Amino acid sequence: MRTDSSPGTLPAREHLPAAPAGTPVLDVVIPVYNEEKDLRPCVRRLYEHLDRTFPYAFRITIADNASTDTTPQVARHLAAQIPEVATVRLEQKGRGRALRAVWSASDAPVLAYMDVDLSTDLNALLPLVAPLISGHSDLAIGSRLARSSRVVRGPKREFISRAYNLILRGSLQARFSDAQCGFKAIRRDVAQVLLPLVEDTGWFFDTEMLVLAERAGLRIHEVPVDWVDDPDSTVHIVRTATDDLKGVWRVGRALATGSLPLDRLGRPFGDDPRDRDIEDVPKGLARQLVGFCVVGALSTLFYLLLYSGFRVFSGSQTANALALLVSAVANTAANRRLTFGVRGRGGAVRHQAQGLVVFGIGLALTSGSLAALNAATSEPAHSTELAVLVAANLAATVLRFLLFRAWVFPDRREDDSPAPAPYTPPCTTPPHDPASHDPASYDPASYDPAPYDPAPYDTTPHDPAPYEAAPYVPTPFRAGEAAHRTWPDATLRPQPVRPHDSDSRDLR
């Protein structure tokens, strides 16, 4: 698991601006390994579908994972025949490695991938990428396990797929329904920040990327798909399942220890009502109160059980001190992680020491209550002792929350932490003028599409021509204006990508 710093926080989601003609909005990557038989018909089928139905410019990139047959020659032949097809050669195997290399170098604002067998019905491709183009979501996945999905496959693969997703839900608390479907898309600005944190280079790449995105609070859109199993698939199920389980253990351990800088992936949503400031209420107070109450209720029950057990062989004061000590350590650890969101081991000893001070205050309060009860009556009933302790613990709980919030776990992010650097788009260009746009005048040296050096994942030179198209234009317009064709300025109208896009006889 990569723990190095990511490029920065994400900007607020926005609808992708209108792009000049020929600039790809979507880059579909097809990772292949020894697929000389299926590559040509599958790429042609995908190209014909996109050319017929996709309303934006697109690119199809074949990522050759060190194939040993004639797959590289077939890929180069397709790239020579179809302008929208590009090919990249890698000398190392691994689907994750191929996706990282191509996605890091692509200039398209929406990045996708699908398996070469095209098991997923291509009619789901536009619904997959539409939420990313509109700015609604950060990632999108096809799901074979959604209620409305229609899937044709054998019982063995069905069992393995459902069992794997149950493992993800039970161990990593994943809420997405299908991690293994080879039909996913991501916004480029999200990929630039998320990919440096993903370590796996094989089949677990998808799962790790989705788990980290979900834990970071990014929005994942799911699309029900029609899917037909490929009986000739070359995937080794046992080896893949073993590698996936190792990946689940690695990611789970990293999440548990807090070694991942997921806070750097925070996106300023802007229009999220949960982010609005409420006057006279400290930020995060409502969530912390709920978490503290839940932890406090469980801690009180735990304390009462301990007190009843210790009371069998000791006096009331000793039993109270021992029960408070054990429950206080557990309470501090639970509040540290669940209520105040502190992860990792840094400062854990100091927090426990401060928690023990708070425990001492609670001990004094409860012990004083017991002393007052014993002074009032010589032999109080056990139920009376419990009632007095419950009341004393409630008072101590309120005091404990105030001390935890103000002293043990204060929120120093707003006061002590330096302000995050403003987001700088990876490419800045002057406003687009369709009349003066000259693709030949574009200097590819002035554009750096990769946020970090992808050299370790791309060991052999490949033709960079497909990636040298002019960057898409950052001219904003509202989605409603696009839907109703009411642009205030004619220069904001998207340029036709193909002749039939502006054909009045075309009913689409």
Side-chain angles (χ1 to χ4, degrees):
M1 185 70 62
R2 300 175 185 270
T3 58
D4 52 336
S5 61
S6 55
T9 57
L10 293 168
R13 300 190 197 98
E14 293 182 356
H15 193 295
L16 292 178
T23 301
V25 172
L26 172 67
D27 193 349
V28 182
V29 183
I30 303 180
V32 293
Y33 173 73
N34 290 347
E35 298 286 354
E36 58 182 0
K37 178 181 177 182
D38 297 332
L39 180 58
R40 187 187 306 274
C42 290
V43 170
R44 288 193 172 275
R45 177 185 165 197
L46 174 60
Y47 167 74
E48 292 172 359
H49 175 83
L50 289 172
D51 184 64
R52 186 180 70 254
T53 64
F54 196 68
Y56 299 92
F58 61 87
R59 179 194 301 133
I60 301 173
T61 302
I62 304 171
D64 177 22
N65 276 151
S67 297
T68 57
D69 59 1
T70 61
T71 297
Q73 290 81 357
V74 175
R76 287 194 294 268
H77 184 68
L78 287 169
Q81 287 184 327
I82 307 175
E84 287 83 359
V85 174
T87 179
V88 175
R89 167 76 177 182
L90 291 91
E91 294 301 331
Q92 292 178 290
K93 293 176 61 177
R95 182 174 69 176
R97 179 179 286 108
L99 293 178
R100 185 198 304 276
V102 179
W103 282 356
S104 299
S106 179
D107 60 345
V110 176
L111 312 169
Y113 96 89
M114 61 181 62
D115 294 332
V116 68
D117 55 14
L118 300 186
S119 296
T120 304
D121 183 21
L122 293 178
N123 287 328
L125 182 56
L126 184 56
L128 182 79
V129 301
L132 308 186
I133 295 175
S134 68
H136 174 272
S137 302
D138 301 298
L139 299 92
I141 64 174
S143 175
R144 299 163 296 182
L145 302 180
R147 288 182 178 272
S148 56
S149 298
R150 292 177 290 187
V151 177
V152 178
R153 60 178 169 181
K156 179 180 179 181
R157 285 184 175 270
E158 180 76 13
F159 172 78
I160 292 176
S161 179
R162 292 188 178 274
Y164 179 67
N165 282 281
L166 285 176
I167 291 174
L168 293 181
R169 289 176 177 269
S171 58
L172 301 179
Q173 289 79 49
R175 295 192 296 271
F176 48 85
S177 62
D178 192 349
Q180 293 179 313
C181 182
F183 196 70
K184 296 181 176 67
I186 184 173
R187 288 177 63 103
R188 184 183 62 179
D189 56 350
V190 177
Q192 289 175 345
V193 182
L194 185 60
L195 291 185
L197 302 179
V198 181
E199 179 178 339
D200 192 82
T201 59
W203 293 98
F204 189 69
F205 175 89
D206 304 47
T207 303
E208 185 172 356
M209 179 180 67
L210 291 175
V211 169
L212 298 186
E214 189 175 71
R215 288 299 186 95
L218 302 181
R219 178 175 288 171
I220 302 175
H221 178 74
E222 295 197 16
V223 178
V225 298
D226 299 337
W227 195 84
V228 179
D229 188 18
D230 179 15
D232 298 327
S233 175
T234 58
V235 177
H236 300 282
I237 297 179
V238 176
R239 185 173 64 189
T240 302
T242 303
D243 293 340
D244 286 347
L245 292 177
K246 292 179 180 178
V248 169
W249 168 257
R250 174 175 52 80
V251 173
R253 182 178 58 183
L255 292 174
T257 57
S259 59
L260 287 169
L262 297 181
D263 56 324
R264 295 192 178 97
L265 295 178
R267 177 190 287 278
F269 293 99
D271 58 348
D272 192 329
R274 294 172 298 180
D275 293 334
R276 297 173 185 168
D277 293 331
I278 303 176
E279 188 176 357
D280 297 330
V281 177
K283 191 173 182 180
L285 178 60
R287 180 188 60 80
Q288 291 179 356
L289 278 174
V290 173
F292 186 82
C293 288
V294 172
V295 173
L298 296 177
S299 298
T300 301
L301 293 176
F302 184 49
Y303 162 79
L304 292 177
L305 291 175
L306 290 175
Y307 177 82
S308 298
F310 292 145
R311 190 68 174 84
V312 174
F313 56 85
S314 62
S316 60
Q317 296 288 1
T318 303
N320 175 57
L322 291 175
L324 267 179
L325 178 61
V326 176
S327 62
V329 173
N331 182 276
T332 301
N335 277 307
R336 180 178 187 269
R337 176 65 179 86
L338 302 178
T339 303
F340 299 97
V342 180
R343 302 182 181 182
R345 300 176 181 178
V349 176
R350 176 175 57 83
H351 292 156
Q352 283 292 349
Q354 292 173 317
L356 290 178
V357 174
V358 177
F359 149 75
I361 298 175
L363 176 62
L365 184 60
T366 53
S367 298
S369 301
L370 283 177
L373 178 63
N374 291 328
T377 176
S378 57
E379 294 182 0
H382 183 63
S383 58
T384 305
E385 285 184 350
L386 290 180
V388 170
L389 288 175
V390 168
N393 267 285
L394 288 176
T397 298
V398 175
L399 181 61
R400 186 182 302 117
F401 175 76
L402 297 176
L403 290 175
F404 273 172
R405 182 177 172 84
W407 180 48
V408 183
F409 307 110
D411 187 4
R412 298 189 177 93
R413 290 175 297 178
E414 297 180 359
D415 301 330
D416 300 340
S417 300
Y423 175 78
T424 302
C427 175
T428 56
T429 60
H432 174 62
D433 183 4
S436 61
H437 177 67
D438 182 9
S441 64
Y442 171 67
D443 182 11
S446 64
Y447 175 72
D448 182 12
Y452 58 92
D453 184 12
Y457 307 100
D458 192 6
T459 56
T460 59
H462 58 272
D463 182 14
Y467 302 100
E468 295 179 358
Y472 64 92
V473 182
T475 304
F477 65 92
R478 293 180 296 178
E481 295 172 347
H484 299 290
R485 304 285 183 178
T486 58
W487 288 278
D489 185 355
T491 60
L492 293 180
R493 295 180 181 272
Q495 301 295 321
V497 177
R498 295 174 295 277
H500 63 259
D501 286 346
S502 56
D503 189 352
S504 59
R505 295 170 297 177
D506 191 346
L507 299 179
R508 292 187 291 109

